[in-house]
Amino acid sequence: MKPQDITATKPSLWIFGYGSLVWKPDFKYKRSQVGYIQGYKRRFWHGDNFHRGSDALPGRVVTLIEDDDASTWGVAFEVTGSQVEESLKYLNVRETVCGGYVTKMVDFFPEGESQPPVQALVYIATSDNALYLGPASPEMIGAQIALCRGKTGHNLEYLLRLAQFMRSSCPQVEDHHLFSIEAAALTVVSCLLAAQ
């Protein structure tokens, strides 16, 4: 399904971010809202050899894995008018630069709102991507993240900003996967600093 097909008849669109979009959307939007989607868990299972890594040392970024019992917290951005086309053009480059991504429409539940969910577009990296790395232990993922850097910056920055977003915007949510990888990465950094 192409994003343009989804938006052909709609004057506005919600876009759900669960990784770097939560702190750095880099597109114009009307408003944003913290909330969650159901049926997916966030995992650092996707490799990145551009933004947060290199061909020699691919970094790890998050994708969504289907899980009926899970929910993923993030931010949805409402784009309207010309913002719709502009944001989709931008995101098609940013999110699908390496291929292997699909777009889906999902129900987004705004935090603390009694109103019904809204449909939101989400980008998901799939195992079809050559850079898809799959599961590994928090220690292995944390070590990989601690050592990688790409054109957008250090992979550790990506991890720490996502963890900070969860602590400040969703303090009631315990994201074990995210926080265990954060702890592992910081342990590696401490060891590297101590060895200098």
Side-chain angles (χ1 to χ4, degrees), residues 4-22:
Q4 291 79 358
D5 299 336
I6 298 164
T7 61
T9 58
K10 297 182 181 179
S12 70
L13 172 70
W14 286 90
I15 298 167
F16 180 68
Y18 56 91
S20 59
L21 286 183
V22 301

Side-chain angles (χ1 to χ4, degrees), residues 12-59:
S12 70
L13 172 70
W14 286 90
I15 298 167
F16 180 68
Y18 56 91
S20 59
L21 286 183
V22 301
W23 74 83
K24 192 177 188 250
D26 277 348
F27 56 82
K28 292 180 181 166
Y29 55 91
K30 181 180 176 183
R31 62 185 169 135
S32 65
Q33 183 111 28
V34 172
Y36 63 93
I37 62 171
Q38 295 177 324
Y40 293 93
K41 58 190 178 187
R42 176 175 31 226
R43 291 293 181 263
F44 276 89
W45 289 2
H46 190 60
D48 184 338
N49 64 354
F50 184 80
H51 296 294
R52 299 293 176 168
S54 64
D55 288 333
L57 279 175

Side-chain angles (χ1 to χ4, degrees), residues 45-46 63 65 98-102 124-134:
W45 289 2
H46 190 60
T63 188
I65 305 299
C98 300
Y101 277 79
V102 296
I124 302 172
T126 70
S127 56
D128 295 339
N129 192 322
L131 281 169
Y132 191 82
L133 300 175

Side-chain angles (χ1 to χ4, degrees), residues 4 6 18 30 37-38 42 45-46 69 78 80 83 85-86 92 94-95 111 122-123 134 155 161-162 166 170 180 193:
Q4 291 79 358
I6 298 164
Y18 56 91
K30 181 180 176 183
I37 62 171
Q38 295 177 324
R42 176 175 31 226
W45 289 2
H46 190 60
D69 300 325
E78 184 184 20
T80 60
Q83 294 173 345
E85 187 177 345
E86 290 165 12
N92 283 339
R94 173 172 164 169
E95 299 298 318
E111 180 183 29
V122 65
Y123 289 79
N155 203 179
R161 282 183 177 251
L162 186 53
M166 287 299 295
C170 316
S180 63
L193 292 173

